[in-house]
Amino acid sequence: MKRAKLRNEVRADLDANFVFDVMSGMMLYGLIFPPTSESWSEYVRRAVEAVIN
């Protein structure tokens, strides 16, 4: 996360703990309710982009 901030790939004020907590919840949700309209990798990519952007 620190390197991504230095490269301006994510916002400088992005809280890493918040990102990891949200991603854990999204992954758990995806395991309980598997995505049907997209592949698992598309779901993960969309979830990550939603959190870090």
Side-chain angles (χ1 to χ4, degrees):
M1 184 76 67
K2 291 178 184 178
R3 289 182 292 183
K5 288 180 180 182
L6 290 173
R7 293 187 303 256
N8 293 321
E9 294 175 346
V10 297
R11 294 185 352 214
D13 64 343
L14 190 64
D15 180 6
N17 291 326
F18 173 75
V19 171
F20 295 128
D21 287 345
V22 170
M23 289 308 302
S24 296
M26 291 176 140
M27 294 298 106
L28 179 60
Y29 181 86
L31 290 171
I32 296 171
F33 305 104
T36 57
S37 62
E38 60 190 343
S39 71
W40 180 254
S41 61
E42 290 170 338
Y43 169 78
V44 171
R45 180 174 301 279
R46 187 172 54 83
V48 169
E49 288 177 358
V51 172
I52 65 173
N53 290 330

